[in-house]
Amino acid sequence: MSRSTWSSRAFRHCSASAALAVTAALAVPAAAAAAAPAGGARHAPAPPSRQPVATGYGGAVSTVDPDASRTAIEVLRRGGNAMDAAIAAGATLGVTEPYVSAIGGGGYITYYDARTRRVHAFDGREFAPAAMRADSFVDPATGKALPFDQAVTSGLSVGVPGTLAQWDLALRRFGTRDLRTLLQPAIRVAEKGFVVDQEFRDQTAVNEARFRDIVPTRELFLPGGKLPEVGSVFRNPDLARTYRELAKRGPAWLYKGELGKEVARTVAKPPVDPAASRNVRPGLMKPADLAAYRALPKRPTHVPYRGLDVYGEPPSSSGGSTVGEALNILGNFRLDAKDPVTALHYYLEASKLAYADRGAYVGDPDKVRVPLDELLSQGFARERACLIKPDQAAAAPVAAGSPDGRYAPCVPPGTQTRALAFEGPQTTHLVVADRWGNVVAYNVSIEQFGGSGITVPGRGFLLNNELTDFTLQPPAPGAPADPNLPAPHKRPRSSMAPTIVLKDGRPKLAVGTPGGSTIITTVLQILLNRIDLGMDLPAALAAPRATQRNTPSVFAEQAFIDRYGRDLAARGHRLDPFPGPPQGVIGAATALEVLRPGLVQAVAEPVRRGGGSALVVSPAH
């Protein structure tokens, strides 16, 4: 996809009822809702412009979408806290960003509780059905992993959804509003609709062939058999009804009730058009798998860095461990804002080493041993840091280290490691702060754009393809063990990295991004920009990006290559344009910074993917 394809996001998503208060009376006559088709050709006024930076008091939010940001702000204005606002915004994103965010997926929440001054993590990652085995994605006819596109568009790829269980757990722990209340803004947007822009049309077009082959997906996202027109209003009455029923019945409706049975039936027998030639393989999920699912409260990862405390998501995500290890490595070097090339060289080398260790050691800790404490230890970081030469990039891939507690001053660099596993780059991230000082960083995802491509009939949401984040091909006999092979009720490794940074025990920064395995490097580079290179937060997000994931090439945005390519090439880095998707664009970050007590700056992308939406309750003048 070309860069211009993705630059249209500035025209994205306005609820057709934007002039009405988001959380006002939301009842719509049932007959009218039933009569409104999904999609629709009615044109609406142009959406309001986005703002990438907002500074003020009383609470702040940054998301990729104006409807979601307005939802969060309204919750905050009406006395809800950051957790309430984040979940309400997440539900709205399920309407306006259906190809990346849905109750058919999962995610991770990092939360700072102002009352106790503690950071918490919530793992809502999907897990595999009980019938899943290490070779479930291997074609018995060839002995090789299924072609990736076939693995994605299949019931095999669908993990047991974690989003609703995570919302329930997070609200019970830290919310002040119930789910019924928090779903109302999303119901309104689903009924009234949002304005289709070029990006939504293009995302649909990318999926058009497989969407046409799956009957309920075609009916929902190709209204009248056509791509939705730019400027039309896209409605999702099926999702509105699903949310309304969920508001009455609660998450048990999915995990122990009829909705769960519908999901399991859809996975086991994907609703493919009989005339289609596509082989959409059945999945392994049973209703008992949904009943067995639990979202997990976790102790977040923590590393000190330059007098700050950086908290992130522990495994099953590799986000907190890999960001943390790379920061520990960087902490061994003086980085000077006057010499950004040297700082970026160390950033790329630290990322390279941390990714080698991620691939070797990180998986679902309930199923494999993850040496997390050693991966985040200062001794291991020093051992890894000593491999970095100030004037010469190491040839990648480099070998993983040995986080065994016995650390030599230096170890020889290696050249062998497993290949970087594919990880879909489509998810979304939001941040929220409230008037009391609570902060949420939240990643939610269904994996690919459009997930598995399978819509639950009559329910208005897509199912994820998160199980393709597993290593699909078991290692050959005698090869090193892989911590990320499929297994019953195992969570595939993720890179999602919702990150909160404290200063003197109080929130200073919160940041995260979509981008698959580039999430880690984007979060890391934003922290480098803000903490070491002296940029303010808007500049730190806007700066051009590069990602080094232990691959022979550094993949970078063109502006990064133009600015730093020659100097970094002189140190042995090979820079190539980031292939996407979207082509040439790495991430779509959201972040916030507490400038002083009560005063918060929310920041979204100014340009990437058309920019995001930052809002505050009471703007500073």
Side-chain angles (χ1 to χ4, degrees):
M1 218 175 288
S2 70
R3 182 181 303 226
S4 61
T5 297
W6 293 90
S7 67
S8 60
R9 191 167 193 144
F11 302 102
R12 186 68 186 274
H13 300 330
C14 171
S15 168
S17 58
L20 301 176
V22 179
T23 54
L26 298 170
V28 173
R42 184 172 64 83
H43 287 254
S49 60
R50 296 166 179 260
Q51 58 180 32
V53 180
T55 305
Y57 303 90
V61 59
S62 176
T63 81
V64 299
D65 174 74
D67 281 319
S69 294
R70 285 193 294 270
T71 290
I73 288 295
E74 285 300 322
V75 170
L76 295 175
R77 283 178 176 153
R78 292 172 180 264
N81 70 7
M83 188 66 82
D84 302 325
I87 288 170
T92 300
L93 287 169
V95 181
T96 59
E97 297 279 336
Y99 302 145
V100 299
S101 174
I103 58 172
Y108 297 91
I109 294 173
T110 308
Y111 179 73
Y112 174 82
D113 178 43
R115 184 179 64 84
T116 62
R117 298 177 65 175
R118 293 183 57 194
V119 180
H120 302 262
F122 296 94
D123 183 331
R125 182 67 156 164
E126 304 86 342
F127 70 23
M132 181 68 69
R133 297 294 181 265
D135 62 354
S136 289
F137 285 95
V138 174
D139 186 342
T142 65
K144 301 291 185 183
L146 295 173
F148 189 74
D149 61 333
Q150 294 183 31
V152 167
T153 310
S154 75
L156 278 174
S157 73
V158 182
V160 175
T163 290
L164 288 178
Q166 184 182 45
W167 288 355
D168 181 61
L169 174 62
L171 287 175
R172 283 189 285 109
R173 290 291 184 92
F174 294 109
T176 68
R177 301 291 188 269
D178 59 22
L179 186 60
R180 173 194 288 264
T181 301
L182 298 176
L183 286 172
Q184 299 310 308
I187 292 170
R188 187 183 191 89
V189 177
E191 289 175 335
K192 295 296 184 179
F194 61 87
V195 174
V196 172
D197 71 348
Q198 189 65 48
E199 181 184 358
F200 186 83
R201 180 182 168 90
D202 288 343
Q203 286 183 14
T204 311
V206 166
N207 285 292
E208 182 178 5
R210 64 182 186 138
F211 280 10
R212 286 194 182 281
D213 288 344
I214 300 171
V215 175
T217 307
R218 179 178 68 214
E219 292 173 347
L220 177 58
F221 294 111
L222 298 172
K226 299 178 182 179
L227 292 171
E229 293 291 335
V230 175
S232 65
V233 176
F234 190 94
R235 301 178 185 85
N236 192 338
D238 285 347
L239 185 57
R241 287 189 291 269
T242 299
Y243 275 176
R244 195 177 294 111
E245 195 72 15
L246 180 62
K248 295 177 183 177
R249 298 178 180 270
W253 184 45
L254 173 65
Y255 295 105
K256 297 181 180 180
E258 184 56 36
L259 181 59
K261 293 176 183 177
E262 293 177 28
V263 168
R265 284 197 298 267
T266 304
V267 171
K269 190 176 181 180
V272 182
D273 189 329
S277 60
R278 187 182 303 273
N279 181 11
V280 182
R281 292 169 172 81
L284 304 172
M285 191 186 302
K286 307 289 186 185
D289 294 309
L290 288 124
Y293 184 85
R294 299 291 184 273
L296 302 174
K298 293 279 187 83
R299 181 168 64 92
T301 60
H302 167 237
V303 297
Y305 188 70
R306 316 288 193 204
L308 303 170
D309 292 284
V310 181
Y311 290 86
E313 282 293 325
S316 58
S317 178
S318 64
S321 64
T322 312
V323 169
E325 181 187 343
L327 288 173
N328 281 343
I329 293 170
L330 288 172
N332 287 275
F333 303 99
R334 289 179 178 271
L335 304 181
D336 187 348
K338 296 178 181 178
D339 186 5
V341 172
T342 295
L344 290 167
H345 167 72
Y346 283 119
Y347 151 70
L348 295 171
E349 293 299 279
S351 299
K352 188 183 298 179
L353 294 164
Y355 268 83
D357 299 327
R358 167 189 178 272
Y361 300 112
V362 181
D364 182 348
D366 286 346
K367 303 298 181 182
V368 297
R369 179 184 174 274
V370 180
L372 183 60
D373 288 344
E374 293 300 328
L375 287 171
L376 293 176
S377 69
Q378 296 298 325
F380 184 58
R382 284 193 296 272
E383 187 175 77
R384 300 299 271 159
C386 77
L387 301 176
I388 299 177
K389 298 178 180 179
D391 57 355
Q392 183 62 46
V398 299
S402 298
D404 54 12
R406 300 185 299 273
Y407 302 122
C410 219
V411 293
T415 57
Q416 298 299 316
T417 187
R418 63 173 50 89
L420 179 70
F422 183 84
E423 194 171 341
Q426 292 79 27
T427 177
T428 191
H429 182 268
L430 63 91
V431 289
V432 183
D434 64 29
R435 72 180 80 167
W436 300 282
N438 303 302
V439 175
V440 172
Y442 178 25
N443 266 120
V444 61
S445 178
I446 62 171
E447 183 60 2
Q448 300 290 113
F449 281 129
S452 64
I454 300 170
T455 298
V456 182
R459 293 302 179 191
F461 64 90
L462 288 155
L463 294 170
N464 69 84
N465 67 290
E466 297 286 2
L467 299 189
T468 57
D469 275 356
F470 283 125
T471 304
L472 304 187
Q473 178 78 48
D482 190 318
N484 193 41
L485 290 173
H489 289 180
K490 185 176 181 180
R491 298 170 194 243
R493 182 174 60 215
S494 171
S495 293
M496 287 185 268
T499 301
I500 293 177
V501 180
L502 307 186
K503 182 178 182 180
D504 301 326
R506 303 288 188 183
K508 179 63 177 173
L509 300 166
V511 61
T513 184
S517 60
T518 70
I519 288 173
I520 292 164
T521 54
T522 296
V523 169
L524 187 60
Q525 191 175 357
I526 290 169
L527 294 176
L528 176 83
N529 290 343
R530 179 69 190 92
I531 298 168
D532 292 296
L533 297 185
M535 301 180 194
D536 62 19
L537 191 58
L541 261 72
R545 293 177 186 146
T547 180
Q548 170 50 271
R549 293 162 288 162
N550 200 24
T551 56
S553 290
V554 174
F555 292 103
E557 295 175 337
Q558 188 59 48
F560 185 95
I561 295 172
D562 294 344
R563 188 177 302 178
Y564 304 113
R566 179 176 298 179
D567 290 334
L568 288 170
R571 300 193 191 203
H573 297 279
R574 190 175 89 196
L575 277 72
D576 290 318
F578 181 67
Q583 183 181 2
V585 178
I586 300 175
T590 54
L592 62 81
E593 179 171 355
V594 179
L595 301 177
R596 62 175 184 265
L599 181 63
V600 180
Q601 184 176 69
V603 183
E605 296 281 3
V607 176
R608 290 181 185 91
R609 306 196 192 185
S613 173
L615 295 174
V616 293
V617 172
S618 298
H621 297 290

